[in-house]
Amino acid sequence: MTAIPQERRLVTAIPGPKSLELQARRTAAVAAGVGSTMPVFAERAGGGVLEDVDGNRLIDFGSGIAVTTVGSSAEAVVRRASAQLADFTHTCFMVTPYEEYIAVCEELAALTPGDHAKKSALFNSGAEAVENAVKIARSYTKRQAVVVFDHAYHGRTNLTMALTAKNMPYKDGFGPFAPEVYRVPMAYPYRWPTGPENCGPEASAQAIDQISKQVGAQNVAAIVIEPVLGEGGFIEPAKGFLPALARFAKDNGIVFVADEIQSGFCRTGTWFACEDEGIVPDLVTTAKGIAGGLPLAAVTGRAEIMDAAHASGLGGTYGGNPVACAAAIGAIETMRELDLPAKARRIEEIMKGRLSAMSEKYDVIGDVRGRGAMIAIELVKDRTTKEPAPEAAGALAKACHQEGLLVLTCGTYGNVLRFLPPLVIGEDLLGEGLDIIEQALAGL
């Protein structure tokens, strides 16, 4: 495997002729409901670069939506997954188990917050992990209600669509949804009516009041929250919000579930985002960054909660696939060896510095936020009214794509540009990507 040169290179228009050819085949064969951010077809990827079928090399500020944290072809991931492929691809852990699954669960017990006894169950996707966390919490508490938040994103299965806040494109026309799901306010500092300084205490008081009055704390099985919101706009809840909810959950026998699917595994500058305010969740859901690009997800939590489900109540044919587990061991090894939490903090320092300077020049940037290598800018038509500017976000993303920088949009209002570079990206590429964003802003 030859390493991809870590430099941007444009040899055709974006998309190029070979990508356009594949796009025609795709249109004929792939369901129209499956979208794509950028219609270039990948051929190789590694480090901070993605190479397409036309030979263009793009700077990657997306990481396959926070998946390729260690890069798209990390040596330890490839080596371990290849060795496992040669041994066996599948037996089904529920039929004849294997050591790799146990090794991943042991790593999760060691890495996730808290020093209590922990156990894990492995699955294929983030949505599956969240769905199983709810099953486990209901089994443990013998309650049914689940509390989620404004701007939340938890997946696309029936239950997780109910947990997800945003209608379009995730829920529209796909109902009816699972019952006993209740939504309460999120501490969104930039948009809090009385200002960011009041957001944490006021939002937590409102959320707790609504849960108590409208649901009844004694009926709640789980509170499920992303410690830093992903698809909802990279919202970092105001300080004090998460601790207040965690305390409320503990006082009322409610299982506190941290959805760390996008924010986990070094992405925010710590191994898990909830460490920032010392939150120790009862259950943690992980996926995305866990296995260097192979499909793997997990629910990890207090042993007594995890053991609440009856024998054979948890599982799935492919859950904890041996090749994906081997890849996860390689990814975790890479994170440790390269100290990727520190790399994420350095990325934050560079990105926030540059983006804050841009926000002083360009009024369209209403907010610069995020932690580690999970950074975003929220675009507005007017800084006083904070009216969202989704058209500007779309135009900015398109301009970046044309120049060979892969960026993603997000947010309930579609007005947030999110940046998720691989944590192994070189600082020169990071700087060049930021130059492209600045040029795009100047051209708006």
Side-chain angles (χ1 to χ4, degrees):
M1 183 182 72
T2 34
I4 300 174
Q6 294 296 295
E7 56 193 33
R8 180 175 66 111
R9 179 181 76 170
L10 296 182
V11 292
T12 71
I14 301 289
K18 288 182 181 173
S19 278
L20 289 170
E21 216 173 279
L22 282 166
Q23 184 62 29
R25 284 172 57 192
R26 174 203 165 120
T27 304
V30 178
V34 181
S36 282
T37 297
M38 203 172 168
V40 299
F41 285 75
E43 191 160 75
R44 302 192 299 157
V49 168
L50 187 149
E51 187 170 293
D52 74 8
V53 288
D54 289 288
N56 298 301
R57 290 196 203 112
L58 317 173
I59 299 173
D60 183 7
F61 273 18
S63 298
I65 319 185
V67 169
T68 54
T69 300
V70 296
S72 298
S73 48
E75 187 276 330
V77 172
V78 174
R79 170 171 41 82
R80 286 179 177 274
S82 300
Q84 182 55 48
L85 266 172
D87 288 343
F88 62 94
T89 59
H90 175 79
T91 64
C92 183
F93 190 76
M94 299 177 301
V95 178
T96 52
Y98 35 85
E99 186 183 352
E100 292 76 15
Y101 188 117
I102 300 165
V104 171
C105 295
E106 288 168 342
E107 286 283 25
L108 287 163
L111 290 167
T112 50
D115 53 10
H116 50 275
K118 294 176 208 155
K119 292 189 178 185
S120 295
L122 305 184
F123 305 98
N124 304 291
S125 69
E128 251 189 282
V130 173
E131 192 134 339
N132 277 279
V134 170
K135 281 167 61 174
I136 292 162
R138 283 175 168 165
S139 189
Y140 177 72
T141 60
K142 307 292 186 274
R143 304 170 182 178
Q144 292 186 337
V146 180
V147 170
V148 288
F149 295 82
D150 287 336
H151 311 288
Y153 179 83
H154 296 293
R156 296 173 183 259
T157 57
N158 187 266
L159 174 60
T160 56
M161 279 192 294
L163 304 179
T164 290
K166 192 175 177 180
N167 174 54
M168 197 66 186
Y170 305 113
K171 302 164 76 160
D172 197 61
F174 297 145
F177 303 114
E180 287 302 311
V181 172
Y182 300 88
R183 194 169 310 284
V184 297
M186 164 53 65
Y188 188 164
Y190 178 63
R191 293 192 173 273
W192 196 253
T194 60
E197 64 286 351
N198 302 313
C199 183
E202 287 182 5
S204 56
Q206 274 186 34
I208 289 166
D209 186 60
Q210 277 189 34
I211 297 165
S212 305
K213 290 202 175 89
Q214 296 178 23
V215 191
Q218 72 281 7
N219 296 315
V220 179
I223 291 174
V224 183
I225 190 164
E226 302 155 273
V228 176
L229 272 65
E231 174 58 27
F234 280 29
I235 301 162
E236 197 178 345
K239 293 285 181 261
F241 183 73
L242 291 171
L245 288 165
R247 270 194 308 275
F248 173 74
K250 190 176 183 186
D251 292 346
N252 290 280
I254 298 166
V255 176
F256 189 83
V257 183
D259 177 343
E260 290 262 14
I261 286 155
Q262 191 158 166
S263 59
F265 285 99
C266 313
R267 177 56 59 184
T268 63
T270 49
W271 277 88
F272 295 94
C274 53
E275 292 173 53
D276 180 64
E277 289 187 89
I279 304 293
V280 178
D282 297 311
L283 300 179
V284 181
T285 59
T286 51
K288 291 193 184 291
I290 193 172
L294 275 78
L296 187 68
V299 183
T300 302
R302 297 184 184 279
E304 69 276 14
I305 300 177
M306 290 300 297
D307 282 345
H310 51 269
S312 300
L314 304 177
T317 304
Y318 294 108
N321 169 273
V323 182
C325 285
I329 299 297
I332 291 165
E333 183 184 304
T334 306
M335 290 170 200
R336 280 204 184 97
E337 275 179 15
L338 301 180
D339 191 3
L340 290 193
K343 286 268 202 309
R345 294 192 294 274
R346 175 66 181 146
I347 288 169
E348 175 184 350
E349 192 185 325
I350 294 167
M351 292 199 91
K352 274 197 169 166
R354 288 285 306 275
L355 293 167
S356 297
M358 289 178 213
S359 78
E360 287 175 22
K361 279 171 71 176
Y362 302 103
D363 286 350
V364 73
I365 300 177
D367 195 25
V368 177
R369 59 174 179 255
R371 284 210 309 271
M374 192 171 176
I375 303 291
I377 52 175
E378 178 163 356
L379 306 183
V380 291
K381 292 177 182 174
D382 181 299
R383 281 188 173 177
T384 311
T385 65
K386 299 182 181 177
E387 187 188 340
E391 304 81 5
L396 201 55
K398 193 175 178 188
C400 289
H401 295 166
Q402 294 303 313
E403 290 301 315
L405 173 67
L406 197 162
V407 295
L408 306 168
T409 58
C410 68
T412 300
Y413 314 107
N415 67 324
V416 176
L417 220 64
R418 58 174 156 174
F419 309 118
L420 291 160
L423 302 188
V424 295
I425 193 169
E427 289 188 14
D428 51 342
L429 278 181
L430 195 61
E432 191 178 351
L434 288 159
D435 292 343
I436 292 168
I437 292 164
E438 186 147 20
Q439 281 164 21
L441 280 163
L444 273 185

